Amino acid sequence: MAKTAVPMVEADQVSKSFGSNEVLKSISLTVNRGEVLCIVGPSGSGKSTFLRCINHLETVNAGRLRVEGVLVGYKEKGDKLHELHPKEAAAQRRDIGMVFQRFNLFPHMTALENVIEAPIRVKKVPRAQAVARAKELLAQVGLAEKADSYPAHLSGGQQQRVAIARALAMDPKLMLFDEPTSALDPELVGEVLDVMKQLAKDGMTMIVVTHEMGFAREVADSLVFMDGGVVVESGKPRDVLANPQHERTKAFLSKVL
């Protein structure tokens, strides 16, 4: 029983700078297994950088980030952090799915080939098994009939749903979404959000950087408003959106709601 008490993600005073630009300033937050956290805020507030630190696509300058109690990207010796070898960091990253704003599909591969690539190469899953699972996942995101289509022949919403299927093919314990709908035409946003809503219903732990306030209100267990590299306000989505406590949150929400 004790294992479920360990948060899925625990950030403890995480800081990150690019040169003299301090992008994250002592961020602390917790996401429990099966929870959905939405992070909102203006451009340049550090949301995407924080997400990239969780799977060690960016290194942190201070603080600790843990996924299921395990330090991400580092080993601790005494009170010093030593960065893991890239291979060890990549092994950790396998369990964390990430969906980017731009779909990043391999253009020379079909939807099916995009989905089976990592399980076969990284996890050494037998091809037949990977194909069967990929077909299941494409059906799950409503694209069963697009398995043999190349990205160029898919809409943005379809490409993003393939990207979600590709991330799920690694059986992640955590899914990170970095503004997954912001590059889409407005009428295609819903089809991607519907897939994400179903994932949340199925119990996937998710951290979503988004501008979709309706999605945050409906699906998230908690909402964090970030600005200038700090968590300005956090709480239940309906509380934060309906009754923000900070002037900065009020000003931001007045522009987006």
Side-chain angles (χ1 to χ4, degrees):
M1 278 302 286
K3 198 166 181 218
T4 53
V6 177
M8 180 59 81
V9 178
E10 190 172 21
D12 180 18
Q13 298 189 317
V14 170
S15 297
K16 170 69 182 172
S17 299
F18 295 103
S20 61
N21 180 19
E22 203 179 356
V23 183
L24 298 176
K25 303 168 188 171
S26 222
I27 298 277
S28 294
L29 53 82
T30 299
V31 182
N32 290 314
R33 184 193 303 269
E35 283 187 347
V36 178
L37 166 69
C38 280
I39 304 177
V40 302
S43 290
S45 57
K47 310 181 300 288
S48 294
T49 300
F50 176 67
L51 216 55
R52 291 169 68 84
C53 288
I54 294 173
N55 65 358
H56 204 60
L57 290 175
E58 296 289 356
T59 55
V60 301
N61 298 115
R64 305 282 188 274
L65 252 173
R66 290 181 172 84
V67 173
E68 279 197 317
V70 177
L71 207 56
V72 173
Y74 296 92
K75 277 198 190 97
E76 209 162 7
K77 291 181 184 165
D79 57 355
K80 283 219 164 52
L81 288 185
H82 299 270
E83 196 168 353
L84 292 179
H85 186 276
K87 263 194 172 155
E88 292 176 279
Q92 280 188 334
R93 206 176 286 129
R94 274 180 213 176
D95 293 330
I96 303 172
M98 182 139 185
V99 176
F100 299 88
Q101 190 172 347
R102 298 267 165 212
F103 329 118
N104 296 358
L105 297 177
F106 298 117
H108 61 289
M109 293 183 180
T110 65
L112 184 82
E113 288 166 343
N114 266 283
V115 176
I116 65 175
E117 176 75 0
I120 290 174
R121 275 180 187 263
V122 179
K123 285 196 158 176
K124 309 299 182 211
V125 173
R127 186 181 172 87
Q129 189 183 326
V131 167
R133 175 78 174 125
K135 285 180 174 171
E136 272 173 30
L137 288 168
L138 287 170
Q140 186 181 327
V141 299
L143 293 173
E145 77 293 352
K146 297 290 185 184
D148 297 326
S149 299
Y150 288 91
H153 301 138
L154 298 172
S155 71
Q158 289 169 334
Q159 290 186 60
Q160 192 60 295
R161 286 185 281 151
V162 173
I164 293 172
R166 180 178 61 178
L168 292 173
M170 293 294 283
D171 293 318
K173 57 192 176 190
L174 168 67
M175 284 283 281
L176 308 176
F177 292 87
D178 189 6
E179 300 195 19
T181 57
S182 62
L184 300 178
D185 292 333
E187 69 269 22
L188 301 176
V189 167
E191 64 192 44
V192 173
L193 293 180
D194 285 345
V195 169
M196 293 168 64
K197 285 174 190 172
Q198 191 55 52
L199 281 180
K201 273 197 189 117
D202 295 343
M204 174 63 75
T205 312
M206 295 160 50
I207 301 180
V208 185
V209 170
T210 187
H211 295 296
E212 302 292 336
M213 299 299 161
F215 173 83
R217 187 187 288 114
E218 184 185 341
V219 179
D221 297 287
S222 51
L223 180 73
V224 162
F225 170 64
M226 276 178 72
D227 189 30
V230 299
V231 171
V232 177
E233 189 161 348
S234 63
K236 294 281 177 209
R238 287 170 193 275
D239 297 344
V240 175
L241 293 173
N243 188 22
Q245 299 302 300
H246 292 260
E247 288 308 318
R248 184 66 195 92
T249 318
K250 286 177 192 171
F252 173 76
L253 291 175
S254 72
K255 293 192 179 78
V256 297
L257 286 177

